[in-house]
Amino acid sequence: MWLWWAIERSTHRIVAWALGDRGTCTARVLGQQLQQAAHIQYCTDHHKPYRAIVPKGQHTVGKAHTHHIESMNNKLRCYLARLRRKTHAYSKSATALLHSLLFIWGRKFATELRPQTGCILSQRLWDSNIEIPI
């Protein structure tokens, strides 16, 4: 399960987020929450699904432009043990992860976010498919 989130670069305010797999379907959930205006520039890494949600003229690709979100990812892993790799705090419950993220964002990042309505069906190769709340 992957956390996709977007921040406003100048204020570090969270503007969009989604939980799901690494595919284009989850990217579109994130993309539906992003503001669309000609003057807005989006900076991402080289992950291909971003091309499906960001207009080409507004898309800057490269790790040099994503240091703010990477820093926030590190802070999030410090605050929320279930996001660290190979820990005892790992939970397979998507709902538990969702509520933990909303709590940490509100407590540590001073952001009021609400869960989106609906879910994404995550196709899994090794087990049965799961529904991830968004």
Side-chain angles (χ1 to χ4, degrees), residues 56-99:
K56 191 171 185 164
Q58 297 174 267
H59 193 192
T60 302
V61 177
K63 289 285 187 179
H65 304 288
T66 60
H67 62 277
H68 290 297
I69 194 79
E70 294 299 335
S71 172
M72 292 177 77
N73 282 338
N74 285 333
K75 287 180 188 175
L76 194 57
R77 279 191 289 275
C78 287
Y79 297 136
L80 201 56
R82 70 177 67 235
L83 295 178
R84 292 185 214 133
R85 294 185 176 126
K86 298 183 181 178
T87 67
H88 294 287
Y90 175 72
S91 171
K92 292 183 180 180
S93 169
T95 304
L97 175 60
L98 170 75
H99 291 294

Side-chain angles (χ1 to χ4, degrees), residues 69-131:
I69 194 79
E70 294 299 335
S71 172
M72 292 177 77
N73 282 338
N74 285 333
K75 287 180 188 175
L76 194 57
R77 279 191 289 275
C78 287
Y79 297 136
L80 201 56
R82 70 177 67 235
L83 295 178
R84 292 185 214 133
R85 294 185 176 126
K86 298 183 181 178
T87 67
H88 294 287
Y90 175 72
S91 171
K92 292 183 180 180
S93 169
T95 304
L97 175 60
L98 170 75
H99 291 294
S100 297
L101 286 169
L102 292 172
F103 175 77
I104 291 296
W105 281 334
R107 197 72 179 269
K108 298 292 185 181
F109 293 94
T111 303
E112 288 292 325
L113 295 173
R114 300 183 197 283
Q116 294 111 23
T117 57
C119 63
I120 295 173
L121 182 65
S122 179
Q123 306 272 334
R124 298 173 63 170
L125 298 175
W126 63 91
D127 204 356
S128 60
N129 296 339
I130 59 168
E131 288 188 350

Side-chain angles (χ1 to χ4, degrees), residues 9 40-67 69-70:
R9 196 170 181 174
I40 297 175
Q41 188 69 25
Y42 296 99
C43 302
T44 69
D45 59 13
H46 295 279
H47 193 49
K48 289 182 183 180
Y50 289 121
R51 295 181 201 159
I53 63 170
V54 179
K56 191 171 185 164
Q58 297 174 267
H59 193 192
T60 302
V61 177
K63 289 285 187 179
H65 304 288
T66 60
H67 62 277
I69 194 79
E70 294 299 335

